[in-house]
Amino acid sequence: MAEEKSGSVQNLMTENRVFYPSQEFTDKAKVSSRQQRDELYRKSVEQPEEFWADMAEQNIDWFKKWEAVEEYDFTDNIFINYYRGAKLNASYNCLDRHLKTWRRNKAALIWQGEPYEDSRTYTYLQLHREVSKFANVLKNIGVKKGDRVTVYLPMIPELAITILACARIGAIHSVVFGGFSAESLRDRILDSNAETLITTNYGLRAGKILNSKEIADNALAECPAVKNCVVVKRLDKDCNMVEGRDHWWHEAMAKAPLDCEPEQMDAEDPLFILYTSGSTGKPKGVMHTTGGYMVYTTSSFKYIFDYRDEDIFWCTADIGWVTGHSYVVYGPLSAGATSLMFEGVPNYPQPDRFWEIVEKYRVNILYTAPTGIRAMMRDGEKWPLGRDLSSLRLLGTVGEPINPEAWMWYHINIGKEKCPIVDTWWQTETGGILITPLPGCIPTKPGSATVPFFGLKPKVIRQDGSEAGVNEGGYLVIEKPWPGLMRGVYGDPERFKTTYFVQYPGYYFTGDGARKDEDGYFWLMGRVDDVLNVSGHRLGTAEVESALVAHAKVAEAAVVGFPHDIKGEGIYAYVTLKEGIDFSDELKKELVAHVRKEIGPIASPDKIHFSNALPKTRSGKIMRRILRKIAAGDVDQLGDTTTLADPSVVDSLVSGRQ
Ligand code: WTA
């Protein structure tokens, strides 16, 4: 029930409306009053040891209990340790323990393929069997505890099965999003020293066939350490198979025994590596460990999505990103939920694909990204109106700031003004959601991720480290760890320290800007480093630049983001060419194709701006501030340009704006 009745979407930019959950929602909610939430929150920050011990008892089955709950140092010798000495297994928690209850025959995973007719449901019992078999396949090809397994699979059930099978035997999975190129895949395999790859013969995307195995083969050509590659037959079509190295999934599974004891893992043993972009050219392998991550994802899932056993939960994220790890697989399955997994995209074959799926499976909780909401908004209300969405009771968003207009559209057209919206802020590094409403008790404001989850102490600070005032923009930092926080950058401890703990000593630095309003609500304002957020996907400007300069005709490149209606942020690339090369539209196309090949389609520049020079200071530093303004069209407010080595460069850039 909205405090104010929703009016037209146009007049909502004032961002001062407040929406309360309905009485009906609150009555049944896990946390149903502000007072109850505040008490729990107070305990979580004042007595973290007790709080996280309770969460660990309530949410996870342990083979052995801990000697200490929380130990850390955020200042000198950066380290984070939860549940020291405890033993558990993530796959046991996601599967085996449910088999002892009525949930053994409950749907664990419902998979909807891109073609309407392709769908499969796995009960907990069935999923347990597939995971155990695949764990035996991995063992058979020599994968041992601690080994890295790279997973390059589209959104098919075998992806969830693979990561749970790795967790079962203590192998560390490293999932590479299926949209990445051979080069990106190769770099991630090499960085993690993986010796095993799991992939598919082909993938499907918006009706097109992706040559996944060919991409994998190209990557493997430069990864001699990879001795085994298991290939899922997604389409009944041949592909190249290398004798001795490549194995068909279905053939290996047919021979695999059904039982596989879960490995007893230490709470701080690594569970997975997931590469994400930072402000340098090389993506970093964010490493998460087992105990804290499982406690955090399971408890945050239950509270934030107010999960009930009869619900169908659908997180639309790809398992290639952290959202899919934490809220398609680990959180929901550990909580004994029914998790829906979708292979396709929102607008194929028609713009109502999401709504068709909600109607078909009677989805109760939908968790998706603002970029998709904005695209569906453009396609018009008629698409959701044509489907029965009455099963929905809770909505969520993640990945980027949601503009109030898109929030309202989601609220009115999808939630029918009765579903609370949880706008959840978090990062690959954080393991799970950190700032979010609890849907039964925190009133929402369109565009704000609201308040911290249990155990979290976020703070907005100024450049000098002092706390920012009410509504004053600053840097978002976090005062102490929580169990889901990353434990390191794989193979690069120094980078872990310098990226997150050096700028503001004593804090974890998020890289995001934020302000806190008079009610203590956080408003996220985007990245403050050279990281772009394109359709909810993180990309470093340096990555795109290094792909561009790898092209034989490019002398120099500078990449910035610009506001984009659908993607949130688009990619604007300034390119100078080598002597004697002329600008042309063909060359623009060639460069876009080149970046797609180097990184993948998500990194395709939206605009390429050829210029003879880039604005540089006398010491040779590119002035990105100016490039960002020109890209955004703010050419009247370029600020001080007198420190430039050649101020006339700016005029020619302004006139050449794309
Ligand atoms: C941004 C995705 C505003 C933010 C889970 C963060 C958000 C980056 C939100 C992490 C949100 C994520 N509101 N911004 N609700 N959620 N972000 O690692 O800039 O892919 O630092 O993790 O996305 O992206 P990542």
Side-chain angles (χ1 to χ4, degrees), residues 59-71:
N59 292 297
I60 294 297
D61 281 14
W62 303 85
F63 298 134
K64 180 172 170 264
K65 292 282 169 63
W66 46 89
E67 287 142 27
V69 176
E70 178 180 274
E71 295 159 306

Side-chain angles (χ1 to χ4, degrees), residues 276 321-323 397-402 423-429 449 510 512 524 526-527 533 536 538:
T276 192
W321 309 113
V322 75
T323 309
T397 70
V398 57
E400 47 173 330
I402 181 161
D423 172 354
T424 64
W425 176 86
W426 58 297
Q427 310 178 297
T428 306
E429 293 87 340
T510 64
D512 275 24
L524 278 304
R527 302 288 304 194
N533 193 326
R538 251 168 92 165

Side-chain angles (χ1 to χ4, degrees), residues 467-499:
E467 186 160 6
V470 170
N471 280 321
E472 179 187 341
Y475 303 96
L476 181 66
V477 296
I478 307 188
E479 276 183 45
K480 67 175 285 293
W482 59 98
L485 177 60
M486 70 188 286
R487 299 298 197 263
V489 172
Y490 188 79
D492 199 346
E494 201 44 38
R495 193 166 173 198
F496 179 49
K497 197 168 166 179
T498 53
T499 311

